[in-house]
């Protein structure tokens, strides 16, 4: 039985990208193409993928740089580098950048498929799927191990701060009243006289926003708060 999974193909040569996409789809996999690194990043922030096929020679940001950035930002999606550069030092550079596998062009399609399946299986076993990550800009909350990373730095939060961050991330881009936040985080609506929500928002800000840019938590006067990553 063949399990369906989603592959992001990062490749700037249209012919090669279409060939890979079509080949994957013929085998029942879902495939999307991003032709440069910034497009790939945007897709990864908003859609779940199980495996990334990554070319090295890309315009602006190289595949290796992209791979390194993704790892620094906490992205755990397995990366298979697919390139014409087959020297040992090229491969080592790929693995140093955080890649999980390396295949040299020209390649045999059945070998590519076998490697993708192996990566997907390993990732599923370790629970490393994008669907378990909440992210905004360079901040990532991993729901599996409850870790928080911003700009590659691990941030320690208390259980309540973590819950607050989870609620804000799950509702990002949406204005939330203090009553709604307290209902979701504390399971009760506080009297309007208490400032518990504001106190915890301040705790959280000190940890996730103070030493980073841009700030993610916004105060909406007369309404409440909103977590938003500006583009
Ligand atoms: Ca290329």
């Amino acid at each position: 039985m063949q399990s369906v999974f989603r592959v992001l193909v990062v490749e700037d040569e249209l012919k090669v990208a279409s060939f890979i996409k079509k080949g994957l789809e013929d085998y029942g996999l879902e495939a999307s193409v991003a032709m440069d690194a910034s497009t790939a990043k945007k897709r990864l922030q908003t859609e779940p993928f199980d495996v990334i096929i990554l070319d090295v020679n890309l315009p602006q940001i190289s595949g290796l740089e992209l791979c390194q950035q993704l790892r620094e930002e906490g992205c755990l999606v397995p990366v298979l580098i697919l390139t014409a550069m087959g020297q040992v030092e090229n491969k080592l550079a790929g693995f140093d950048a955080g890649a999980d596998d390396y295949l040299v062009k020209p390649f045999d399609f059945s070998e590519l498929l076998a490697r993708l399946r192996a990566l997907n299986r390993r990732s599923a076993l370790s629970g490393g799927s994008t669907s378990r990550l909440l992210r905004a800009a360079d901040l990532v909350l991993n729901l599996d191990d409850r870790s928080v990373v911003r700009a590659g730095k691990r941030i320690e939060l208390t259980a309540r701060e973590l819950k607050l961050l989870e609620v804000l991330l799950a509702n990002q881009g949406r204005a939330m009243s203090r009553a709604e936040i307290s209902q979701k985080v504390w399971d009760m609506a506080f009297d309007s006289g208490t400032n518990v929500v504001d106190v915890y928002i301040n705790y959280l800000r000190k940890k996730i926003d103070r030493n980073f840019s841009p700030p993610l938590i916004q105060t909406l006067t007369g309404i409440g708060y909103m977590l938003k990553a500006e583009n």
Side-chain angles (χ1 to χ4, degrees):
M1 198 187 75
Q2 193 166 288
S3 62
V4 172
F5 56 93
R6 302 193 55 179
V7 184
L8 180 64
V9 181
V10 189
E11 170 66 68
D12 63 325
E13 274 171 71
L14 187 58
K15 245 174 99 177
V16 180
S18 310
F19 168 71
I20 298 173
K21 180 174 156 58
K22 184 169 183 313
L24 296 174
E25 286 171 350
D26 284 348
Y27 281 88
L29 309 190
E30 283 182 38
S32 303
V33 173
M35 299 192 69
D36 59 66
S38 57
T39 309
K41 265 183 135 171
K42 272 183 206 138
R43 301 284 305 262
L44 284 160
Q45 277 166 2
T46 51
E47 297 165 58
F49 287 99
D50 299 296
V51 183
I52 302 166
I53 296 177
L54 184 59
D55 180 30
V56 172
N57 283 327
L58 294 170
Q60 287 113 33
I61 302 168
S62 80
L64 294 185
E65 282 173 87
L66 171 64
C67 190
Q68 206 161 2
Q69 287 176 15
L70 290 173
R71 293 306 183 234
E72 281 169 9
E73 290 163 14
C75 173
L76 301 172
V77 181
V79 170
L80 179 143
I81 290 183
L82 186 60
T83 171
M85 297 191 289
Q87 303 292 319
V88 174
E89 51 267 37
N90 300 135
K91 294 183 184 176
L92 292 180
F95 287 115
D96 273 349
D100 300 276
D101 202 355
Y102 201 102
L103 189 59
V104 179
K105 296 174 190 167
F107 61 97
D108 184 291
F109 215 92
S110 56
E111 183 179 358
L112 174 65
L113 283 169
R115 287 174 182 268
L116 292 178
R117 282 201 201 96
L119 286 173
N120 182 50
R121 203 159 48 231
R122 253 180 279 156
S123 132
L125 286 175
S126 63
S129 165
T130 43
S131 55
R132 297 285 298 162
L133 300 179
L134 290 173
R135 49 172 84 238
D138 53 358
L139 180 138
V140 182
L141 192 168
N142 183 327
L143 293 168
D144 291 319
D145 64 8
R146 318 297 295 169
S147 65
V148 177
V149 172
R150 184 157 188 196
K153 288 198 193 86
R154 182 77 180 249
I155 298 173
E156 298 300 330
L157 297 182
T158 64
R160 196 63 79 179
E161 290 161 359
L162 197 66
K163 181 71 188 165
L164 175 59
L165 179 60
E166 185 184 337
V167 166
L168 290 171
L169 280 169
N171 293 279
Q172 64 182 285
R174 192 169 74 75
M176 299 184 80
S177 68
R178 289 174 179 77
E180 186 185 1
I181 292 171
S182 64
Q183 188 70 56
K184 290 197 158 83
V185 177
W186 283 267
D187 258 341
M188 60 175 118
F190 294 128
D191 295 344
S192 50
T194 71
N195 64 346
V196 178
V197 172
D198 307 86
V199 169
Y200 273 85
I201 287 280
N202 277 332
Y203 290 158
L204 191 57
R205 269 189 170 143
K206 279 182 190 156
K207 294 184 179 177
I208 68 157
D209 272 347
R210 184 190 266 173
N211 297 314
F212 301 96
S213 173
L216 297 173
I217 300 175
Q218 301 178 7
T219 304
L220 305 172
T221 310
I223 302 171
Y225 296 97
M226 175 166 72
L227 188 147
K228 193 170 193 300
E230 299 292 350
N231 287 319

